[in-house]
Amino acid sequence: MNYNNKKKSLLFTGGGGAGSEALSRLLGDRFDVHFADADLNAKPHGIASCNFHKIPFANAPEFIHELGRLCQDLGVELLVPGVDEELLPVARQRESFGCEVLLPPADFISIHLDKFTSNRLLVEQGLPAPLTEPMLERKAIDFPCIAKPCHGRGSRDVAVVRSEEEMRAHVLLSRRPAADFIVQELLQGQEFTVMMAADRSGLLRAVVPVKVDIKRGITLRAETAADSAVIDACCAIHAANPVPGCYNIQLIKMEDGNCKPFEINPRISTTGCLALAAGASFVDLYLGNDTNEGLVPFAAGMRLRRSWYNEFLA
């Protein structure tokens, strides 16, 4: 084989996630796309077994070593971590992998993995943000409101609570201490999840708003939307802290047109595949394969509809 014509290898962790099958299809014609997960049985239908690899859980002592060995064995050009628990260990050891790592810096990750600290930073920067308080210090937030853990993903233990009794019951059922929770004003409007993609210098290259129609932990039905108010709000957030890599902003566009981000996820989201299908290739933008100036265009009105494939294995 002519090495110069060999496809560059990509490795996505969290390979059992909802977007992996689409990433494989959308990128597979140009890249050798691999996935890693702690559970081999999580392999999505359509991904070849030879492209799906087992790695330890992020809290295992050998996690960094084994992930680095896999990157070396596969000749990975770009590592794309997709699991919250992996982000800080990988970001802090990014120089040890021998490849590019599609992640913001460790300090950005640390801030935004903590939902209360993330909210406080937006407020300190003079950016719109929902009123948020530690649950045990709630003073200004009325019911109904959102109760959710400071750390978590996939909408786990997130609920609308309408009274003190409901809030105490929610904490009890979650089996977490109340000190782990924040409360947040309940925003009324249209939810968006927005892919933010910057190059290796931190220059913002893509902002792709996705209008959420149905969400059950992950987004099931959604549509790309060239909403200027959402795009402007997200550009302002990036301008206040311009970091390289990909991250995701979840926000509510309210009836008056104002946009308030209620969560910033310092990694690609499961709707990143929709942004990719719409023409915003976060891989090419980060690697510098797209040298055009400004934000890349994307196809508005492209819809995502997630369904399942039932496998029966002897």
Side-chain angles (χ1 to χ4, degrees), residues 63-115:
F63 169 71
I64 291 295
H65 173 76
E66 290 300 312
L67 182 58
R69 183 187 59 78
L70 182 60
C71 288
Q72 184 176 17
D73 290 348
L74 296 174
V76 170
E77 174 87 4
L78 181 67
L79 170 63
V80 188
V83 179
D84 282 0
E85 292 82 358
E86 299 173 351
L87 304 184
L88 276 175
V90 171
R92 288 168 175 162
Q93 298 287 332
R94 66 195 312 152
E95 301 301 326
S96 69
F97 290 101
C99 63
E100 296 284 353
V101 179
L102 186 63
L103 271 184
D107 57 349
F108 181 91
I109 293 170
S110 182
I111 288 169
H112 292 295
L113 285 179
D114 184 316
K115 295 176 176 59

Side-chain angles (χ1 to χ4, degrees), residues 122 125-129 192 194 196 204 207 209 227-241 247 249-254 257-262 264 295:
L122 293 174
Q125 292 173 332
L127 295 165
F192 284 84
V194 186
M196 306 288 288
L204 187 60
V207 179
D227 189 300
S228 59
V230 173
I231 292 172
D232 290 346
C234 292
C235 285
I237 291 171
H238 188 82
N241 193 4
Y247 59 100
I249 298 175
Q250 293 177 266
L251 60 81
I252 300 292
K253 182 182 180 183
M254 296 177 293
N258 288 321
C259 299
K260 287 190 177 182
F262 60 87
I264 296 178
L295 297 179

Side-chain angles (χ1 to χ4, degrees), residues 119-298:
N119 177 270
R120 291 298 87 197
L121 178 63
L122 293 174
V123 172
E124 291 168 6
Q125 292 173 332
L127 295 165
L131 185 60
T132 303
E133 296 174 319
M135 181 177 284
L136 295 178
E137 301 173 23
R138 185 182 70 85
K139 295 177 181 177
I141 297 175
D142 295 325
F143 295 108
C145 62
I146 300 290
K148 62 183 178 182
C150 277
H151 300 87
R153 55 188 169 92
S155 299
R156 296 171 187 169
D157 296 326
V158 178
V160 177
V161 293
R162 296 171 174 79
S163 66
E164 290 282 357
E165 292 75 16
E166 280 194 19
M167 190 165 69
R168 287 195 294 269
H170 177 65
V171 172
L172 182 64
L173 290 170
S174 75
R175 299 187 179 183
R176 297 175 184 239
D180 286 356
F181 282 83
I182 56 174
V183 288
Q184 200 166 67
E185 67 171 306
L186 181 61
L187 302 174
Q188 301 293 340
Q190 174 63 55
E191 180 177 346
F192 284 84
T193 177
V194 186
M195 188 196 77
M196 306 288 288
D199 64 18
R200 285 174 284 194
S201 72
L203 178 65
L204 187 60
R205 296 300 321 281
V207 179
V208 184
V210 173
K211 186 166 62 175
V212 176
D213 293 328
I214 299 177
K215 186 176 180 180
R216 299 287 186 272
I218 62 168
T219 301
L220 300 178
R221 304 284 187 274
E223 181 178 344
T224 57
D227 189 300
S228 59
V230 173
I231 292 172
D232 290 346
C234 292
C235 285
I237 291 171
H238 188 82
N241 193 4
V243 293
C246 255
Y247 59 100
N248 169 258
I249 298 175
Q250 293 177 266
L251 60 81
I252 300 292
K253 182 182 180 183
M254 296 177 293
E255 292 180 358
D256 61 5
N258 288 321
C259 299
K260 287 190 177 182
F262 60 87
E263 203 162 300
I264 296 178
N265 301 307
R267 52 166 172 76
I268 64 166
S269 77
T270 62
T271 53
C273 59
L274 177 56
L276 181 63
S281 174
F282 51 86
V283 171
D284 289 300
L285 295 174
Y286 188 75
L287 292 177
N289 297 335
D290 186 320
T291 57
N292 295 312
E293 295 184 358
L295 297 179
V296 299
F298 64 91

